[in-house]
Amino acid sequence: MFGLLAIVAFAALAVLLTTTVTYHPFGVPEGLREKYHNKVAELERHSKLASQANEITRPAVVMNEKTFDFGMVDPHATISHSFIVRNQGELPLQLSVRETSCKCTVGELQNNLVVPGDQTTITMTWNTGYQADEYEQTALVATNDPLNSEIELKVKGVVRAECIAPENIGLKTADPGKPAESDFVVYSQLWDDFEVAAIETQLKGFQWTAEPVAPDDISLLDTEAMSAWRVRVSSSGNPRGRFSGKMKLTINPFDGSQPVTREVTAYGKVRAPISFISPDIHRTTGLDIGTLIAGKEYLFHLVVRSRSEPQRDIEVLGVKPDELDASIQPLGQPGSYKLTLRVPKDCPMVAFNANHKHGYVEVGDPDDKAFSNWFPVLGAVIDLDD
């Protein structure tokens, strides 16, 4: 009797567990479970269709390629490629072109009904237009093959460009009073030859030169260039900091066609006239002297160097907080100085390490504020006896 009751109880418990415990796939996040289950259901449906299709006679689509790359093509060209579709099933294959990705692509069926063992072609015709760019166009073909109810065919390629120039170029960072320079290549995939005739810009102190480059130059690797010119540009007299400007290039092809223009943005940076050198200084956060104990003297040394005009006299122009002291002395090399930041022994408690309260040291020519530079100082002086 007790054995029968135990079996009944165990069965009831099993039923309860199977009705209350929900299986969750291991490793699938909660937010992706619905997508996971939908994918599993789709795979099960496809597997069921495949099983049914194998049990009954059906048309069967077979294609060796569904994508064709034309490579480099001329602008305003009309090109075509034919895809072969074979029916290896036991029933006639029905085909129809449903849609194409753009008006410049046409999909044409040789036959819309293919008997078992036969084949037909679907020809995609592509009008390349004039833009120099990579293209990929598609056509969707509907079939009555239950395992391939829709086929996507693709053609792609790159349209040759009459003239290619970079959109942006970076000029090398320059010292004050020195030109910021760079060079770039302009090339054509269509013209046998051309020239860079003029460049207009508002950049200060602008200079430029241009010369032909052989199409097999290493800088033109994989560009399919037929002709090219290298342009060298420089800009001088810019104030310290970052600058930029647009350059309008006028380009004359030698095939008798009209000149074309290209716009290139040039950008660069002029360094501060004075630099600071120390293993303890960071280029953005400055000098961090840490937390110091009051009642002791601390010294920090840096090298100050004039990037231009080494004959200028450089002095300490300002120090914050006022409790700190800074002095500067010339070194043996013109334009080089030794800067000493001193925390005096009798320095009271002071903190200058908050975002809104940094210290700083500024040095430069006292007669020319533009010829100066500064760096942040972070730290604090505390008294352990208080």
Side-chain angles (χ1 to χ4, degrees):
M1 184 67 178
F2 288 108
L4 180 60
L5 290 175
I7 293 173
V8 172
F10 179 79
L13 178 60
V15 171
L16 179 63
L17 287 174
T18 56
T19 56
T20 58
V21 176
T22 303
Y23 168 72
H24 293 298
F26 178 75
V28 180
E30 184 70 32
L32 297 177
R33 283 178 182 164
E34 182 178 356
K35 185 176 181 180
Y36 169 84
H37 289 304
N38 291 339
K39 185 65 176 178
V40 170
E42 175 64 21
L43 291 173
E44 291 176 348
R45 187 187 69 82
H46 193 276
S47 177
K48 184 177 180 180
L49 284 174
S51 177
Q52 293 174 351
N54 289 330
E55 294 174 359
I56 62 175
T57 57
R58 66 178 180 89
V61 171
V62 175
M63 299 187 67
N64 291 335
E65 64 170 354
K66 296 181 181 179
T67 299
F68 183 78
D69 190 345
F70 288 106
M72 296 290 296
V73 293
D74 290 336
H76 302 292
T78 300
I79 51 181
S80 300
H81 178 73
S82 296
F83 296 91
I84 298 176
V85 183
R86 296 192 299 274
N87 180 9
Q88 291 188 354
E90 299 178 15
L91 290 178
L93 174 66
Q94 296 177 1
L95 302 171
S96 62
V97 178
R98 289 178 50 193
E99 60 183 74
T100 57
S101 57
C102 81
K103 295 179 181 178
C104 64
T105 308
V106 177
E108 182 179 351
L109 267 171
Q110 182 186 29
N111 296 299
N112 59 5
L113 186 65
V114 184
V115 298
D118 203 354
Q119 66 182 35
T120 189
T121 60
I122 302 174
T123 301
M124 289 187 67
T125 302
W126 176 31
N127 185 346
T128 62
Y130 68 92
Q131 293 183 344
D133 205 348
E134 295 185 2
Y135 279 91
E136 182 177 275
Q137 305 298 345
T138 61
L140 296 179
V141 180
T143 85
N144 64 334
D145 180 350
L147 296 185
N148 295 281
S149 59
E150 186 177 84
I151 306 170
E152 183 180 66
L153 304 180
K154 293 182 181 180
V155 291
K156 60 183 182 179
V158 180
V159 180
R160 289 187 177 92
E162 60 181 11
C163 184
I164 297 178
E167 294 183 359
N168 304 279
I169 62 163
L171 305 181
K172 294 180 180 178
T173 300
D175 289 332
K178 303 294 182 180
E181 302 172 325
S182 187
D183 65 82
F184 59 95
V185 173
V186 180
Y187 64 93
S188 173
Q189 296 170 333
L190 286 173
W191 301 329
D192 290 330
D193 201 1
F194 66 94
E195 69 171 350
V196 180
I199 302 181
E200 300 175 27
T201 184
Q202 297 297 320
L203 287 168
K204 290 187 176 182
F206 183 76
Q207 300 288 332
W208 71 279
T209 60
E211 60 183 8
V213 180
D216 60 355
D217 188 90
I218 191 171
S219 63
L220 296 168
L221 187 65
D222 297 329
T223 63
E224 302 284 342
M226 295 183 62
S227 56
W229 282 61
R230 186 179 305 280
V231 182
R232 292 182 172 86
V233 296
S234 66
S235 176
S236 58
N238 294 290
R240 64 188 287 183
R242 301 187 183 277
F243 67 90
S244 66
K246 297 184 181 300
M247 301 181 296
K248 180 182 177 183
L249 281 64
T250 300
I251 297 157
N252 292 334
F254 288 169
D255 63 357
S257 57
Q258 293 296 314
V260 300
T261 61
R262 293 293 183 269
E263 189 174 82
V264 180
T265 298
Y267 60 90
K269 179 182 178 181
V270 176
R271 297 184 180 96
I274 296 172
S275 63
F276 304 101
I277 304 171
S278 169
D280 301 320
I281 196 169
H282 190 275
R283 63 184 183 89
T284 57
T285 58
L287 179 66
D288 188 348
I289 66 174
T291 301
L292 308 177
I293 307 303
K296 297 181 181 180
E297 182 182 60
Y298 299 90
L299 300 177
F300 301 90
H301 302 288
L302 301 89
V303 173
V304 179
R305 190 165 292 167
S306 174
R307 289 194 172 105
S308 61
E309 303 182 54
Q311 73 281 0
R312 290 222 191 196
D313 291 328
I314 294 178
E315 301 177 3
V316 175
L317 302 180
V319 182
K320 289 291 182 182
D322 296 332
E323 291 82 358
L324 306 184
D325 180 36
S327 60
I328 192 168
Q329 294 179 339
L331 296 174
Q333 183 179 356
S336 295
Y337 299 81
K338 177 182 178 182
L339 173 68
T340 301
L341 178 65
R342 186 174 73 94
V343 181
K345 184 177 181 179
D346 58 353
C347 180
M349 287 198 303
V350 60
F352 43 97
N353 54 9
N355 290 334
H356 63 284
K357 191 179 181 182
H358 285 176
Y360 72 88
V361 177
E362 182 181 14
V363 301
D365 185 342
D367 297 324
D368 184 0
K369 287 289 290 183
F371 200 90
S372 65
N373 200 5
W374 66 279
F375 62 88
V377 180
L378 292 79
V381 178
I382 63 172
D383 190 344
L384 295 180
D385 294 333
D386 289 349

